[in-house]
Amino acid sequence: MRRTFDALAERVLAGGRATRDEARAVLGTSDDDLLDVVAAAARVRRRYFGNRVKLNYLVNLKSGRCPEDCGYCSQRLGAESGALSYTWLSPEQAADAASAGVTAGAKRVCLVASGRGPTDPDIDRVARTIAAIRERHADVEVCACLGLLGAGQATRLRDAGADAYNHNLNTAGERYADICTTHTYADRVSTVEQARSGGLSACSGLIAGMGESDDDLVEVAFALADLAPDSVPVNFLIPFDGTPMAGRWQLTPQRCLRILAMMRFVFPDVEVRLAGGREIHLRTLQPLALHIANAIFLGDYLTSEGQAGHADLDMISDNGFVVEAAGEPSLPTARAAAGMPVTTAGNMVAPPTNLVRLRRRGAGTDLPPNT
């Protein structure tokens, strides 16, 4: 099998991408072949993105109270998840939150608000928020994620200083009605298209772990490819209590790595972002995922906690990667010399000095052992 995946990597590096059959083959590999798949995908990742990891930071501008019924979401209509619920942050509050991520190394701030889609006054509010953030961090990338877009709203966001717009397809079109009934798959496709036509960089991805088949994953991957996004977040279902998908633990770390590898072969020179649920599904295999994906969310998500930000930075450094700096182009098509990625050794995290902790539990003490 190694020769098969090496051949696939060679073809992708020569300017191609995986076919649907090859994408299914990646998803269908055995655990015995998993490292060969990861190694082949890592070759592609290294060619186009070197050893850089782009950090993205989420700011939840408005949480909960959503009228939509997306089955995976802790903010959905009727959810009893216990997720935080609050109205719009002020521009100053949002800028404070964004500064925490930028100070820790985030290159992009993602401004998210629950709801079906923004009203025109909401666009004005977000515009003021972008201005407040840029007053402090002129070079930071800003991505908005506000739901379904209306006519002209993408252009207004671009004019306000937004760089990108996120709206995920989430799953294959044929099964979209299984996870949401208050809007359609076509609505989502239309929003991504509006973002692009309005001059924003398109960001759109998927959620794995919702009962989809390999064919469903391949279908959504190629539907995304047709939309030509610049970044593709790969989320793994967080099965919140109080939602229809509570208790749905269908993913293994190995399955997650195969999904990421498949996406890398379909999107060789596009930002593939390791997104929600990575900690609870990849667990100790998170570092391997960095050899496939070239971006992560730093710290917490919209309504759930991620691993500590310093742990993310340690993981990046320990695996020989560096944080992508603000002045570096993210996509290889923007480089002066394609295939010659820039590294930034100055972004390496200093080695920790507090790793040695004297044992105070177990044998010879009154405390239970660490087992």
Side-chain angles (χ1 to χ4, degrees), residues 1-356:
M1 291 297 289
R2 179 176 178 178
R3 291 180 180 176
T4 299
F5 296 118
D6 282 345
L8 174 57
E10 287 293 340
R11 190 164 58 75
V12 171
L13 290 172
R17 74 177 186 197
T19 65
R20 290 172 183 264
D21 286 343
E22 288 168 334
R24 290 188 193 94
V26 170
L27 294 174
T29 53
S30 69
D31 288 350
D32 289 343
D33 295 320
L34 182 62
L35 288 181
D36 292 336
V37 174
V38 172
R43 288 181 58 200
V44 178
R45 182 249 197 268
R46 285 273 178 170
R47 166 70 66 84
Y48 291 109
F49 299 97
N51 67 339
R52 296 175 292 117
V53 176
K54 182 176 179 178
L55 298 184
N56 300 257
Y57 189 73
L58 285 167
V59 177
N60 196 353
L61 297 178
K62 180 169 73 76
S63 186
R65 308 175 189 178
C66 186
E68 304 300 288
D69 69 354
C70 306
Y72 53 83
C73 184
S74 62
Q75 305 178 76
R76 73 187 297 272
L77 178 69
E80 298 178 354
S81 62
L84 283 173
S85 181
Y86 53 84
T87 191
W88 290 91
L89 299 180
S90 70
E92 291 72 25
Q93 289 172 320
D96 287 343
S99 289
V102 175
T103 300
K107 182 175 180 177
R108 172 175 287 191
V109 172
C110 305
L111 303 177
V112 188
S114 64
R116 179 178 178 84
T119 63
D120 286 339
D122 290 339
I123 297 291
D124 293 335
R125 189 193 311 266
V126 174
R128 292 192 295 272
T129 296
I130 294 172
I133 292 171
R134 290 213 180 276
E135 186 175 352
R136 303 186 193 185
H137 310 287
D139 295 332
V140 72
E141 295 178 8
V142 176
C143 179
C145 178
L146 311 172
L148 302 174
L149 288 173
Q153 289 185 327
T155 300
R156 291 180 60 197
L157 286 168
R158 182 203 63 197
D159 292 344
D163 299 291
Y165 196 84
N166 166 259
H167 200 64
N168 297 328
L169 297 188
N170 289 331
T171 194
E174 289 188 358
R175 66 181 308 270
Y176 193 80
D178 296 338
I179 66 169
C180 181
T181 66
T182 48
H183 61 264
T184 67
Y185 179 81
D187 291 331
R188 288 190 168 264
V189 171
S190 175
T191 288
V192 179
E193 291 174 339
Q194 286 190 62
R196 286 182 56 84
S197 62
L200 295 171
S201 171
C203 173
S204 189
L206 58 84
I207 304 174
M210 299 190 293
E212 67 281 338
S213 66
D214 285 0
D215 284 344
D216 292 328
L217 287 168
V218 172
E219 184 61 33
V220 69
F222 279 81
L224 286 166
D226 289 341
L227 292 173
D230 295 319
S231 56
V232 181
V234 179
N235 297 277
F236 304 108
L237 177 69
I238 302 175
F240 290 100
D241 290 341
T243 68
M245 295 190 184
R248 186 170 290 189
W249 296 93
Q250 300 178 343
L251 296 170
T252 64
Q254 295 84 359
R255 173 74 166 168
C256 293
L257 288 174
R258 292 187 193 97
I259 292 169
L260 286 167
M262 184 270 289
M263 296 299 286
R264 175 52 74 200
F265 289 129
V266 176
F267 296 97
D269 59 352
V270 171
E271 177 188 329
V272 174
R273 188 184 313 156
L274 191 54
R278 63 178 164 93
E279 299 90 344
I280 60 177
H281 290 294
L282 280 160
R283 300 192 290 279
T284 59
L285 295 192
Q286 279 191 84
L288 273 183
L290 283 183
H291 291 270
I292 304 172
N294 64 291
I296 65 170
F297 281 111
L298 175 71
D300 294 338
Y301 304 102
L302 295 178
T303 63
S304 64
E305 293 184 352
Q307 70 185 19
H310 69 81
D312 289 335
L313 296 174
D314 287 345
M315 179 175 69
I316 290 168
S317 178
D318 289 349
N319 283 275
F321 294 99
V322 296
V323 173
E324 186 173 288
E328 292 180 286
S330 292
L331 297 180
T333 52
R335 293 183 189 161
M340 299 294 290
V342 179
T343 61
T344 309
N347 285 337
M348 294 290 286
V349 178
T353 58
N354 59 345
L355 294 181
V356 178

